[in-house]
Amino acid sequence: MTYLSFLESLLDEAGKMAMTFPRQVPARIKDADANQVVTQADLAIGEWIRRRIRERFPSDSLIDEESGTVRGTSPVTWIIDPIDGTANFAAGSPLFGVMVGVLEDDRPVAGGVALPALSETYVAEKGHGAYRNGIRLEIKTEGELSQQLIAYGIDIYPAEIAYDCRMLTGIASCCRGIRMSNSVFDCMMVATGAYGAFVHRHNRIWDCVAPHMIIEEAGGIFSTIDGHGPDYSDSLSKSLDVFPVLTAGPGFHETLVNMLRTHSFE
């Protein structure tokens, strides 16, 4: 099974749909987490993506950030984030995306990301490469870490601000500059080689699977902050789990794992 053409079509249309919604719109804060917001666009796009997937793959399971899980009978699970960076979207920022990932037996096998405001669609499938608007991506590690831009995403948890500041101090001491969109835009900049790495300590499963596949197929490394592969086992029960993510070009990953470990204990 190859998912590339389906994902590309699905995300291209979902991205166009996102751009039809008015910008700078009210966003409702989610009861479970004040860092998370939702708009009518999230709900409508999620419903449309789920319908398209169910029409084509009726036996597969679904995990949608906004609507929850649907258990199917096949070993395949689709992971949907209708709008990643909803706070950006609602504020009128172009730095938001649409994400769809595919797990087979709880292992990532395909994924796609649309950055609608930039007219960019990224797709990847295990063993078939990663592509941006049809052009193959290949991360080339060149130069020193000190020459790289590194993105760091922060969700505001008051008890953890000091921890994030330690992490930022460590990263800032060894790179050219810090960038923060707090959305999948940052991860795609790693996939293109524009950024050397991206760190986010509070991702959920729908933030991970699609960019995981794109980064790996482009030649990068997608891991937890301690350097291990994310655990997607029993994926339908993982909606509340937190994934602290580090993704980087292969020449920078080990250095960043060691640096983050050091600063986490200061």
Side-chain angles (χ1 to χ4, degrees), residues 120-193:
E120 294 182 350
T121 301
Y122 298 73
V123 293
E125 185 166 359
K126 193 170 184 65
H128 294 272
Y131 302 84
R132 176 179 61 180
N133 291 355
I135 299 173
R136 188 153 187 165
L137 296 170
E138 184 178 357
I139 298 172
K140 296 179 180 178
T141 302
E142 298 177 348
E144 302 296 325
L145 186 59
S146 62
Q147 300 172 329
Q148 303 299 313
L149 299 176
I150 295 180
Y152 193 103
I154 297 180
D155 291 331
I156 304 302
Y157 298 98
E160 299 184 19
I161 290 175
Y163 186 101
D164 280 313
C165 287
R166 291 200 302 273
M167 296 294 100
L168 283 167
T169 297
I171 293 171
S173 69
C174 68
C175 74
R176 173 170 288 173
I178 303 293
R179 299 294 181 264
M180 293 181 173
S181 82
N182 207 34
S183 77
V184 71
F185 169 83
D186 289 335
C187 206
M188 292 304 95
M189 291 304 97
V190 178
T192 65

Side-chain angles (χ1 to χ4, degrees), residues 7-22:
L7 280 169
E8 189 164 25
S9 172
L10 180 74
L11 285 158
D12 184 59
E13 290 301 317
K16 290 175 181 176
M17 184 177 179
M19 296 302 290
T20 67
F21 284 86

Side-chain angles (χ1 to χ4, degrees), residues 21-216:
F21 284 86
R23 309 295 297 282
Q24 295 179 300
V25 295
R28 177 177 62 81
I29 297 173
K30 296 182 182 180
D31 295 336
D33 186 347
N35 286 283
Q36 303 297 318
V37 297
V38 63
T39 69
Q40 286 301 312
D42 298 78
L43 302 176
I45 293 167
E47 180 181 1
W48 183 84
I49 291 173
R50 294 193 310 274
R51 185 169 66 250
R52 283 283 309 275
I53 293 171
R54 296 296 285 175
E55 288 171 356
R56 179 76 177 271
F57 305 98
S59 299
D60 294 353
S61 298
L62 301 172
I63 301 175
D64 181 347
E65 178 182 5
E66 308 306 340
S67 68
T69 64
V70 175
R71 186 177 296 274
T73 57
S74 86
V76 174
T77 301
W78 294 75
I79 316 293
I80 304 162
D81 189 345
I83 295 184
D84 181 70
T86 302
N88 294 354
F89 174 85
S93 166
L95 303 183
F96 67 92
V98 182
M99 296 195 285
V100 178
V102 186
L103 298 174
E104 187 170 329
D105 293 320
D106 293 329
R107 299 184 186 91
V109 295
V113 171
L115 301 180
L118 304 181
S119 299
E120 294 182 350
T121 301
Y122 298 73
V123 293
E125 185 166 359
K126 193 170 184 65
H128 294 272
Y131 302 84
R132 176 179 61 180
N133 291 355
I135 299 173
R136 188 153 187 165
L137 296 170
E138 184 178 357
I139 298 172
K140 296 179 180 178
T141 302
E142 298 177 348
E144 302 296 325
L145 186 59
S146 62
Q147 300 172 329
Q148 303 299 313
L149 299 176
I150 295 180
Y152 193 103
I154 297 180
D155 291 331
I156 304 302
Y157 298 98
E160 299 184 19
I161 290 175
Y163 186 101
D164 280 313
C165 287
R166 291 200 302 273
M167 296 294 100
L168 283 167
T169 297
I171 293 171
S173 69
C174 68
C175 74
R176 173 170 288 173
I178 303 293
R179 299 294 181 264
M180 293 181 173
S181 82
N182 207 34
S183 77
V184 71
F185 169 83
D186 289 335
C187 206
M188 292 304 95
M189 291 304 97
V190 178
T192 65
Y195 293 176
F198 168 63
V199 180
H200 199 303
R201 298 196 306 108
H202 285 280
N203 278 359
R204 299 298 177 94
I205 192 168
W206 43 77
D207 301 311
C208 295
V209 175
H212 184 163
M213 201 72 266
I214 293 166
I215 292 290
E216 284 197 350

